[in-house]
Amino acid sequence: MSKVFVFDHPLIQHKLTYIRDKNTGTKEFRELVDEVATLMAFEITRDLPLEEIDVETPVTTAKAKVLSGKKMAIVPILRAGIGMVDGVLKLIPAAKVGHIGLYRDPVTLKPIEYYAKLPADVEERDFIIVDPMLATGGSAVEAINSLKKRGAKSIKFMCLIAAPEGVEEIQKQHNDVDIYIAALDEKLDDHGYIVPGLGDAGDRLFGTK
Ligand code: PRP
Ligand code: URA
């Protein structure tokens, strides 16, 4: 069974409150999503492997740790996932960035893939899929399908707000994919929106309607 981690760090929770607020405008919304993505990246990289090297300090030679060169890739689900990419890259600047384009059909709520471009060495990379919202889980499951079809072996899913339905759907379809979220909300409404949620993440990020 895939694990679910809720990042309840006070800074993440504080910023998320203003992200939810309907009076937060596009500029501030975008900045806050970027900041929360950075804070979440700090938590999600907690298990990165380290190796020991010798370092010359001004005083002596010391054994010290460095990252052991894991190959990583960030994959935003277009559009709204784009808002989280730069925030993650601030902490993992050497990561490659792939893109998966999906939108939810407004009637069926089923995801439709319209774009996919991943780094060439898919099998060797650890992937983090980013998207602010995990609602029915259809988009996340389809993005994971798309990565696995192209050879990805190691995938994490990171979002700001999840509905219980979406978490269950990933766990049902992809029990090897761990889920990292800032808040687990109550439910979905009749239109597949997360309650209380933050509204339409893509529209709020990009100022569309
Ligand atoms: C939103 C969101 C997720 C998806 C979540 O994207 O960014 O990708 O809905 O819903 P689900 O879990 O029910 O699939 P949307 O389809 O609105 O596209 P957009 O990012 O282009 O606005
Ligand atoms: N997509 C969004 O942008 N918001 C939701 O609440 C659900 C899906």
Side-chain angles (χ1 to χ4, degrees):
M1 175 70 81
S2 55
K3 294 193 273 299
V4 181
F5 300 89
V6 182
F7 293 147
D8 57 359
H9 190 287
L11 287 175
I12 294 178
Q13 295 309 307
H14 174 84
K15 290 175 193 294
L16 189 61
T17 299
Y18 292 99
I19 288 174
R20 288 184 188 277
D21 188 339
K22 68 175 186 185
N23 295 313
T24 299
T26 302
K27 174 179 178 289
E28 202 188 343
F29 185 90
R30 206 180 282 148
E31 288 166 356
L32 286 163
V33 169
D34 179 76
E35 286 168 17
V36 170
T38 303
L39 293 168
M40 293 185 79
F42 183 75
E43 299 275 8
I44 207 171
T45 49
R46 198 170 273 283
D47 61 354
L48 281 183
L50 294 167
E51 63 189 36
E52 206 167 65
I53 61 163
D54 291 328
V55 63
E56 296 292 328
T57 79
V59 180
T60 184
T61 303
K63 299 271 181 218
K65 303 227 163 94
V66 291
L67 293 170
S68 72
K70 214 153 183 33
K71 291 178 151 196
M72 301 191 65
I74 319 301
V75 178
I77 301 180
L78 307 183
R79 275 176 310 166
I82 290 174
M84 297 175 72
V85 174
D86 285 351
V88 176
L89 287 175
K90 276 183 198 127
L91 293 194
I92 322 173
K96 296 265 163 70
V97 180
H99 294 85
I100 305 269
L102 293 173
Y103 68 90
R104 284 201 317 180
D105 182 281
V107 178
T108 65
L109 300 184
K110 295 280 173 247
I112 301 180
E113 184 176 297
Y114 59 88
Y115 187 76
K117 184 83 180 169
L118 301 179
D121 49 358
V122 176
E123 292 181 14
E124 296 159 38
R125 293 204 170 257
D126 285 350
F127 284 87
I128 304 174
I129 299 176
V130 294
D131 190 326
M133 311 305 276
L134 174 61
T136 64
S139 303
V141 164
E142 195 52 39
I144 298 165
N145 284 341
S146 189
L147 257 64
K148 285 188 174 173
K149 198 170 69 190
R150 292 171 172 83
K153 302 271 184 290
S154 163
I155 303 172
K156 292 174 173 170
F157 182 84
M158 179 170 121
C159 69
L160 301 186
I161 300 181
E165 293 88 334
V167 170
E168 274 169 35
E169 190 61 15
I170 293 185
Q171 290 183 319
K172 197 163 84 188
Q173 308 284 345
H174 295 289
N175 66 11
D176 56 330
V177 174
D178 290 339
I179 305 163
Y180 300 80
I181 61 189
L184 182 60
D185 274 12
E186 198 186 319
K187 59 177 185 186
L188 295 177
D189 70 11
D190 294 342
H191 306 287
Y193 274 82
I194 300 177
V195 181
L198 54 72
D200 187 302
D203 283 346
R204 295 200 61 195
L205 262 174
F206 298 113
T208 49
K209 193 79 203 93

